[in-house]
PDB file of all heavy atoms in Angstrom:
ATOM      1  N   ASP C  12     -10.491  28.105  13.724  1.00  0.00           N
ATOM      2  CA  ASP C  12     -10.839  27.483  14.994  1.00  0.00           C
ATOM      3  C   ASP C  12     -12.332  27.161  15.015  1.00  0.00           C
ATOM      4  O   ASP C  12     -13.143  27.952  14.566  1.00  0.00           O
ATOM      5  CB  ASP C  12     -10.497  28.447  16.144  1.00  0.00           C
ATOM      6  CG  ASP C  12      -9.032  28.852  16.115  1.00  0.00           C
ATOM      7  OD1 ASP C  12      -8.188  27.953  16.040  1.00  0.00           O
ATOM      8  OD2 ASP C  12      -8.753  30.064  16.142  1.00  0.00           O
ATOM      9  N   LYS C  16     -12.170  20.257  12.762  1.00  0.00           N
ATOM     10  CA  LYS C  16     -11.081  19.426  12.218  1.00  0.00           C
ATOM     11  C   LYS C  16     -10.890  18.137  13.020  1.00  0.00           C
ATOM     12  O   LYS C  16     -10.751  17.062  12.451  1.00  0.00           O
ATOM     13  CB  LYS C  16      -9.753  20.206  12.210  1.00  0.00           C
ATOM     14  CG  LYS C  16      -9.728  21.347  11.217  1.00  0.00           C
ATOM     15  CD  LYS C  16      -8.340  21.968  11.106  1.00  0.00           C
ATOM     16  CE  LYS C  16      -7.857  22.586  12.409  1.00  0.00           C
ATOM     17  NZ  LYS C  16      -8.701  23.719  12.873  1.00  0.00           N
ATOM     18  N   GLU C  39       0.090  19.824  13.925  1.00  0.00           N
ATOM     19  CA  GLU C  39       1.115  20.856  14.121  1.00  0.00           C
ATOM     20  C   GLU C  39       0.402  22.093  14.664  1.00  0.00           C
ATOM     21  O   GLU C  39      -0.694  22.411  14.185  1.00  0.00           O
ATOM     22  CB  GLU C  39       1.806  21.197  12.795  1.00  0.00           C
ATOM     23  CG  GLU C  39       2.722  20.081  12.316  1.00  0.00           C
ATOM     24  CD  GLU C  39       3.477  20.407  11.032  1.00  0.00           C
ATOM     25  OE1 GLU C  39       3.381  21.556  10.547  1.00  0.00           O
ATOM     26  OE2 GLU C  39       4.148  19.522  10.522  1.00  0.00           O
ATOM     27  N   PRO C  40       0.966  22.795  15.635  1.00  0.00           N
ATOM     28  CA  PRO C  40       2.195  22.421  16.324  1.00  0.00           C
ATOM     29  C   PRO C  40       1.931  21.354  17.375  1.00  0.00           C
ATOM     30  O   PRO C  40       0.810  21.231  17.853  1.00  0.00           O
ATOM     31  CB  PRO C  40       2.615  23.735  16.984  1.00  0.00           C
ATOM     32  CG  PRO C  40       1.325  24.454  17.246  1.00  0.00           C
ATOM     33  CD  PRO C  40       0.424  24.084  16.110  1.00  0.00           C
ATOM     34  N   ARG C  50       4.978  24.193  21.071  1.00  0.00           N
ATOM     35  CA  ARG C  50       3.552  24.569  21.118  1.00  0.00           C
ATOM     36  C   ARG C  50       3.256  25.399  22.370  1.00  0.00           C
ATOM     37  O   ARG C  50       2.520  26.377  22.320  1.00  0.00           O
ATOM     38  CB  ARG C  50       2.697  23.290  21.101  1.00  0.00           C
ATOM     39  CG  ARG C  50       1.205  23.557  21.077  1.00  0.00           C
ATOM     40  CD  ARG C  50       0.402  22.261  21.048  1.00  0.00           C
ATOM     41  NE  ARG C  50      -1.001  22.568  21.213  1.00  0.00           N
ATOM     42  CZ  ARG C  50      -1.857  22.748  20.228  1.00  0.00           C
ATOM     43  NH1 ARG C  50      -1.466  22.612  18.985  1.00  0.00           N
ATOM     44  NH2 ARG C  50      -3.105  23.068  20.458  1.00  0.00           N
ATOM     45  N   LEU C  54       1.858  29.088  21.695  1.00  0.00           N
ATOM     46  CA  LEU C  54       0.434  29.319  21.954  1.00  0.00           C
ATOM     47  C   LEU C  54       0.159  29.861  23.352  1.00  0.00           C
ATOM     48  O   LEU C  54      -0.828  30.550  23.558  1.00  0.00           O
ATOM     49  CB  LEU C  54      -0.365  28.029  21.763  1.00  0.00           C
ATOM     50  CG  LEU C  54      -0.473  27.529  20.322  1.00  0.00           C
ATOM     51  CD1 LEU C  54      -1.302  26.256  20.268  1.00  0.00           C
ATOM     52  CD2 LEU C  54      -1.088  28.590  19.421  1.00  0.00           C
ATOM     53  N   TYR C  69       6.909  27.799  14.488  1.00  0.00           N
ATOM     54  CA  TYR C  69       6.065  26.829  13.779  1.00  0.00           C
ATOM     55  C   TYR C  69       6.910  26.010  12.800  1.00  0.00           C
ATOM     56  O   TYR C  69       6.717  24.804  12.641  1.00  0.00           O
ATOM     57  CB  TYR C  69       4.934  27.533  13.014  1.00  0.00           C
ATOM     58  CG  TYR C  69       3.793  27.991  13.896  1.00  0.00           C
ATOM     59  CD1 TYR C  69       3.523  29.337  14.090  1.00  0.00           C
ATOM     60  CD2 TYR C  69       2.969  27.061  14.533  1.00  0.00           C
ATOM     61  CE1 TYR C  69       2.470  29.761  14.895  1.00  0.00           C
ATOM     62  CE2 TYR C  69       1.915  27.463  15.338  1.00  0.00           C
ATOM     63  CZ  TYR C  69       1.671  28.818  15.514  1.00  0.00           C
ATOM     64  OH  TYR C  69       0.635  29.211  16.312  1.00  0.00           O
ATOM     65  N   ARG C  73       7.677  22.006  12.708  1.00  0.00           N
ATOM     66  CA  ARG C  73       7.362  21.279  11.460  1.00  0.00           C
ATOM     67  C   ARG C  73       8.561  20.481  10.959  1.00  0.00           C
ATOM     68  O   ARG C  73       8.415  19.323  10.565  1.00  0.00           O
ATOM     69  CB  ARG C  73       6.918  22.317  10.417  1.00  0.00           C
ATOM     70  CG  ARG C  73       6.606  21.749   9.056  1.00  0.00           C
ATOM     71  CD  ARG C  73       5.815  22.763   8.263  1.00  0.00           C
ATOM     72  NE  ARG C  73       4.590  23.093   8.960  1.00  0.00           N
ATOM     73  CZ  ARG C  73       4.122  24.327   9.145  1.00  0.00           C
ATOM     74  NH1 ARG C  73       4.750  25.376   8.651  1.00  0.00           N
ATOM     75  NH2 ARG C  73       3.007  24.517   9.811  1.00  0.00           N
ATOM     76  N   ARG C  95      -3.557  20.736  10.451  1.00  0.00           N
ATOM     77  CA  ARG C  95      -2.744  21.919  10.119  1.00  0.00           C
ATOM     78  C   ARG C  95      -1.358  21.590   9.569  1.00  0.00           C
ATOM     79  O   ARG C  95      -0.685  20.680  10.038  1.00  0.00           O
ATOM     80  CB  ARG C  95      -2.579  22.857  11.326  1.00  0.00           C
ATOM     81  CG  ARG C  95      -3.890  23.398  11.856  1.00  0.00           C
ATOM     82  CD  ARG C  95      -3.638  24.524  12.831  1.00  0.00           C
ATOM     83  NE  ARG C  95      -4.879  25.013  13.414  1.00  0.00           N
ATOM     84  CZ  ARG C  95      -5.686  25.883  12.816  1.00  0.00           C
ATOM     85  NH1 ARG C  95      -5.394  26.360  11.619  1.00  0.00           N
ATOM     86  NH2 ARG C  95      -6.783  26.299  13.420  1.00  0.00           N
ATOM     87  N   TYR C  96      -0.957  22.392   8.584  1.00  0.00           N
ATOM     88  CA  TYR C  96       0.378  22.240   7.987  1.00  0.00           C
ATOM     89  C   TYR C  96       0.775  23.598   7.410  1.00  0.00           C
ATOM     90  O   TYR C  96       0.306  24.641   7.885  1.00  0.00           O
ATOM     91  CB  TYR C  96       0.314  21.107   6.937  1.00  0.00           C
ATOM     92  CG  TYR C  96       1.637  20.694   6.332  1.00  0.00           C
ATOM     93  CD1 TYR C  96       2.774  20.484   7.107  1.00  0.00           C
ATOM     94  CD2 TYR C  96       1.755  20.504   4.953  1.00  0.00           C
ATOM     95  CE1 TYR C  96       3.978  20.092   6.529  1.00  0.00           C
ATOM     96  CE2 TYR C  96       2.942  20.111   4.365  1.00  0.00           C
ATOM     97  CZ  TYR C  96       4.061  19.909   5.166  1.00  0.00           C
ATOM     98  OH  TYR C  96       5.248  19.534   4.591  1.00  0.00           O
ATOM     99  N   SER C  99      -1.489  26.626   7.047  1.00  0.00           N
ATOM    100  CA  SER C  99      -1.784  27.421   8.249  1.00  0.00           C
ATOM    101  C   SER C  99      -0.742  28.502   8.442  1.00  0.00           C
ATOM    102  O   SER C  99      -1.066  29.640   8.797  1.00  0.00           O
ATOM    103  CB  SER C  99      -1.827  26.537   9.508  1.00  0.00           C
ATOM    104  OG  SER C  99      -3.105  25.990   9.697  1.00  0.00           O
ATOM    105  N   SER C 100       0.523  28.165   8.213  1.00  0.00           N
ATOM    106  CA  SER C 100       1.568  29.189   8.357  1.00  0.00           C
ATOM    107  C   SER C 100       1.373  30.304   7.341  1.00  0.00           C
ATOM    108  O   SER C 100       1.547  31.488   7.646  1.00  0.00           O
ATOM    109  CB  SER C 100       2.955  28.578   8.160  1.00  0.00           C
ATOM    110  OG  SER C 100       3.308  27.793   9.258  1.00  0.00           O
ATOM    111  N   TYR C 103      -1.901  32.299   8.594  1.00  0.00           N
ATOM    112  CA  TYR C 103      -1.775  33.042   9.855  1.00  0.00           C
ATOM    113  C   TYR C 103      -0.570  33.990   9.843  1.00  0.00           C
ATOM    114  O   TYR C 103      -0.710  35.178  10.093  1.00  0.00           O
ATOM    115  CB  TYR C 103      -1.673  32.084  11.056  1.00  0.00           C
ATOM    116  CG  TYR C 103      -2.979  31.412  11.436  1.00  0.00           C
ATOM    117  CD1 TYR C 103      -3.453  30.311  10.734  1.00  0.00           C
ATOM    118  CD2 TYR C 103      -3.745  31.859  12.504  1.00  0.00           C
ATOM    119  CE1 TYR C 103      -4.638  29.677  11.077  1.00  0.00           C
ATOM    120  CE2 TYR C 103      -4.941  31.233  12.869  1.00  0.00           C
ATOM    121  CZ  TYR C 103      -5.377  30.142  12.152  1.00  0.00           C
ATOM    122  OH  TYR C 103      -6.548  29.531  12.498  1.00  0.00           O
ATOM    123  N   GLN C 104       0.626  33.410   9.560  1.00  0.00           N
ATOM    124  CA  GLN C 104       1.831  34.256   9.641  1.00  0.00           C
ATOM    125  C   GLN C 104       2.040  35.046   8.343  1.00  0.00           C
ATOM    126  O   GLN C 104       2.379  36.228   8.364  1.00  0.00           O
ATOM    127  CB  GLN C 104       3.074  33.393   9.938  1.00  0.00           C
ATOM    128  CG  GLN C 104       3.223  32.957  11.386  1.00  0.00           C
ATOM    129  CD  GLN C 104       2.176  31.953  11.829  1.00  0.00           C
ATOM    130  OE1 GLN C 104       1.954  30.943  11.163  1.00  0.00           O
ATOM    131  NE2 GLN C 104       1.508  32.244  12.936  1.00  0.00           N
ATOM    132  N   ARG C 149     -15.236  25.265  25.231  1.00  0.00           N
ATOM    133  CA  ARG C 149     -14.145  25.438  26.190  1.00  0.00           C
ATOM    134  C   ARG C 149     -14.395  26.545  27.203  1.00  0.00           C
ATOM    135  O   ARG C 149     -13.512  26.855  27.999  1.00  0.00           O
ATOM    136  CB  ARG C 149     -12.855  25.740  25.433  1.00  0.00           C
ATOM    137  CG  ARG C 149     -12.356  24.565  24.595  1.00  0.00           C
ATOM    138  CD  ARG C 149     -10.863  24.506  24.693  1.00  0.00           C
ATOM    139  NE  ARG C 149     -10.330  25.814  24.387  1.00  0.00           N
ATOM    140  CZ  ARG C 149      -9.783  26.144  23.220  1.00  0.00           C
ATOM    141  NH1 ARG C 149      -9.670  25.249  22.282  1.00  0.00           N
ATOM    142  NH2 ARG C 149      -9.345  27.351  23.010  1.00  0.00           N
ATOM    143  N   ASP C 154      -6.531  30.599  23.313  1.00  0.00           N
ATOM    144  CA  ASP C 154      -5.079  30.682  23.352  1.00  0.00           C
ATOM    145  C   ASP C 154      -4.622  31.963  22.650  1.00  0.00           C
ATOM    146  O   ASP C 154      -5.436  32.768  22.199  1.00  0.00           O
ATOM    147  CB  ASP C 154      -4.418  29.409  22.784  1.00  0.00           C
ATOM    148  CG  ASP C 154      -4.690  29.196  21.307  1.00  0.00           C
ATOM    149  OD1 ASP C 154      -4.757  30.198  20.568  1.00  0.00           O
ATOM    150  OD2 ASP C 154      -4.821  28.037  20.888  1.00  0.00           O
ATOM    151  N   LEU C 156      -3.315  32.743  19.756  1.00  0.00           N
ATOM    152  CA  LEU C 156      -3.768  33.005  18.385  1.00  0.00           C
ATOM    153  C   LEU C 156      -5.278  33.210  18.333  1.00  0.00           C
ATOM    154  O   LEU C 156      -5.777  34.086  17.643  1.00  0.00           O
ATOM    155  CB  LEU C 156      -3.380  31.830  17.472  1.00  0.00           C
ATOM    156  CG  LEU C 156      -2.052  31.899  16.700  1.00  0.00           C
ATOM    157  CD1 LEU C 156      -2.182  32.885  15.559  1.00  0.00           C
ATOM    158  CD2 LEU C 156      -0.881  32.269  17.564  1.00  0.00           C
ATOM    159  N   GLU C 157      -5.993  32.390  19.098  1.00  0.00           N
ATOM    160  CA  GLU C 157      -7.457  32.493  19.098  1.00  0.00           C
ATOM    161  C   GLU C 157      -7.922  33.845  19.622  1.00  0.00           C
ATOM    162  O   GLU C 157      -8.999  34.320  19.260  1.00  0.00           O
ATOM    163  CB  GLU C 157      -8.060  31.372  19.958  1.00  0.00           C
ATOM    164  CG  GLU C 157      -7.978  30.000  19.296  1.00  0.00           C
ATOM    165  CD  GLU C 157      -8.211  28.855  20.277  1.00  0.00           C
ATOM    166  OE1 GLU C 157      -8.290  29.107  21.495  1.00  0.00           O
ATOM    167  OE2 GLU C 157      -8.297  27.719  19.806  1.00  0.00           O
TER     168      GLU C 157
HETATM  169  P1  LIG N 301      -4.835  24.129  16.823  1.00  0.00           P
HETATM  170  O1  LIG N 301      -4.029  22.882  16.796  1.00  0.00           O
HETATM  171  O2  LIG N 301      -6.062  24.226  16.036  1.00  0.00           O
HETATM  172  O3  LIG N 301      -5.082  24.496  18.330  1.00  0.00           O
HETATM  173  P2  LIG N 301      -6.269  23.965  19.193  1.00  0.00           P
HETATM  174  O4  LIG N 301      -6.827  22.787  18.485  1.00  0.00           O
HETATM  175  O5  LIG N 301      -5.673  23.635  20.531  1.00  0.00           O
HETATM  176  O6  LIG N 301      -7.170  25.157  19.248  1.00  0.00           O
HETATM  177  O7  LIG N 301      -3.920  25.295  16.283  1.00  0.00           O
HETATM  178  C1  LIG N 301      -3.127  26.012  17.047  1.00  0.00           C
HETATM  179  C2  LIG N 301      -3.072  27.444  16.605  1.00  0.00           C
HETATM  180  O8  LIG N 301      -1.849  27.676  15.907  1.00  0.00           O
HETATM  181  C3  LIG N 301      -4.182  27.906  15.708  1.00  0.00           C
HETATM  182  O9  LIG N 301      -4.709  29.109  16.244  1.00  0.00           O
HETATM  183  C4  LIG N 301      -3.489  28.217  14.394  1.00  0.00           C
HETATM  184  C5  LIG N 301      -2.084  28.451  14.767  1.00  0.00           C
HETATM  185  N1  LIG N 301      -1.088  28.089  13.739  1.00  0.00           N
HETATM  186  C6  LIG N 301      -0.388  29.098  13.095  1.00  0.00           C
HETATM  187  O10 LIG N 301      -0.602  30.278  13.344  1.00  0.00           O
HETATM  188  N2  LIG N 301       0.586  28.762  12.185  1.00  0.00           N
HETATM  189  C7  LIG N 301       0.878  27.467  11.895  1.00  0.00           C
HETATM  190  O11 LIG N 301       1.772  27.188  11.071  1.00  0.00           O
HETATM  191  C8  LIG N 301       0.139  26.435  12.566  1.00  0.00           C
HETATM  192  C9  LIG N 301       0.429  24.999  12.272  1.00  0.00           C
HETATM  193  C10 LIG N 301      -0.844  26.792  13.479  1.00  0.00           C
END
Side-chain angles (χ1 to χ4, degrees):
D12 303 309
K16 291 188 298 297
E39 288 183 6
R50 183 179 172 94
L54 291 181
Y69 283 113
R73 178 164 301 134
R95 299 192 183 278
Y96 187 46
S99 273
S100 287
Y103 286 80
Q104 282 69 50
R149 293 219 309 258
D154 65 36
L156 267 286
E157 287 164 352

